[in-house]
Amino acid sequence: MNKALRKAVIAGNWKMNMTPSQATALINEMKPLVADAKCDVVLCVPFVDIAAAVEAAKGSNIKIGAENVHFKASGAFTGEISAEMLKEAGVEYVVVGHSERRQYFGETDQTVNLRSLAALNAGLKPIICVGETLEQRELGYTETLLKFQTKMALTNVTADQLKDVIIAYEPVWAIGTGVTATADQADEGNGYVRQAIAEAYGEEAAQAVTVQYGGSMNAKNAAELVSKVNVDGGLIGGASLKAQDFSVIVKAASAE
Ligand code: PEP
C-alpha cells in the first residue's frame, strides 16, 4: 500500500442546492480558505450553476464538476446533458452513479458504465459512486457488491483511461443520514474497491487510483477518515455547502 502514489481529492456534491448567484457567493467565500490545499479541490454543482461556478473559480485551485452526464453524444433525450456540453462549459469532473440517482432515477450498473465511458471519451474525469445498502451489509454482501459494482462500472475502460477515474465508496446508509462509517469500515470498503481494480488491471494500476470515501464526512470526522491508507479524500454532500466546514476537510486531506 502506498498512499504517496496518488493524490487525495476532496470533492463537494451540492446535490439540488444553490442558485447561480448563491454558487458565486459560496465559491468566493471558499477560494481563500482552500487556496493552500495540497489535495485537489472540486465542486460538483447543478447544471444551471456551472457557468457561474466556472467564472467564480477562475484563477483559483477549485475545479468544477457536474453531478451527472448522459451516455449518448446527442439526440432526442429531452432534459439530458452530454459530456461534450459539459466539457465546453468548463467542467473537468462529473459524478456518475450517485446512490440518489440509483435509488430515485433508475440508474443501473450498466448505465453507470455507459456514463463513465462517455465522460472519459470526452476528456472528463468521472467520480464513480459505489456502495452497499444497510440490508446488503447486514446480509454480508458488502465485499461482493462493491467488487461487482466497481468492475461493472469499469467495463471497457482502458488502462490508460483508468488514470482519469476516481471511485467514491459511499455506503448508502451513510449518505445524508448523519451516520458515518467508522474509519475502519471506510478503509475496508475502499480496500475492496481497490482489490477489484487490481483484479481487473493489476496491482500497480490499482495503487494509482484515487478512491474516496463519502457519507456524512464532516469537519469533525474528516481527519480520521482520510488518515486511512485506502482513503484518498472524500466526496462531501452537506458539508460542502458550508465554506468553513469544507475548508477544514480540505485541510485534513492536505495534511496526509
Ligand atoms: C454525497 O452526496 O455524496 C454525500 C456523501 O452526502 P453527505 O456528505 O451529505 O452524506
Side-chain angles (χ1 to χ4, degrees), residues 71-90:
F71 39 85
K72 293 283 189 185
S74 63
F77 301 101
T78 303
E80 294 297 323
I81 306 285
S82 75
E84 189 189 2
M85 292 172 191
L86 294 176
K87 183 80 182 164
E88 193 174 318

Side-chain angles (χ1 to χ4, degrees), residues 180-191:
T180 317
T182 64
D184 285 339
Q185 284 172 326
D187 197 41
E188 182 181 62
N190 283 31

Side-chain angles (χ1 to χ4, degrees), residues 105-198:
F105 301 101
E107 195 76 66
T108 65
D109 289 317
Q110 193 197 8
T111 55
V112 170
N113 173 236
L114 294 175
R115 288 180 209 278
S116 301
L117 288 169
L120 288 164
N121 290 334
L124 298 172
K125 295 180 174 137
I127 300 175
I128 304 170
C129 302
V130 298
E132 82 288 0
T133 63
L134 188 57
E135 188 186 16
Q136 288 161 340
R137 170 166 283 267
E138 286 172 352
L139 287 169
Y141 291 138
T142 301
E143 177 176 357
T144 310
L145 189 101
L146 290 180
K147 287 188 168 179
F148 180 78
Q149 285 187 343
T150 302
K151 287 179 184 173
M152 279 289 286
L154 296 177
T155 303
N156 294 326
V157 170
T158 66
D160 200 44
Q161 287 177 319
L162 185 69
K163 294 175 187 139
D164 284 332
V165 168
I166 295 172
I167 310 268
Y169 166 49
E170 298 212 309
V172 177
W173 46 271
I175 298 175
T177 57
V179 179
T180 317
T182 64
D184 285 339
Q185 284 172 326
D187 197 41
E188 182 181 62
N190 283 31
Y192 294 146
V193 169
R194 202 178 302 288
Q195 276 169 31
I197 302 170

Side-chain angles (χ1 to χ4, degrees), residues 13 15 98 100 170 174-178 214-217 235-239:
N13 171 27
K15 313 194 191 208
H98 191 280
E100 287 152 15
E170 298 212 309
I175 298 175
T177 57
S216 301
M217 195 189 275
L235 183 57
I236 325 294

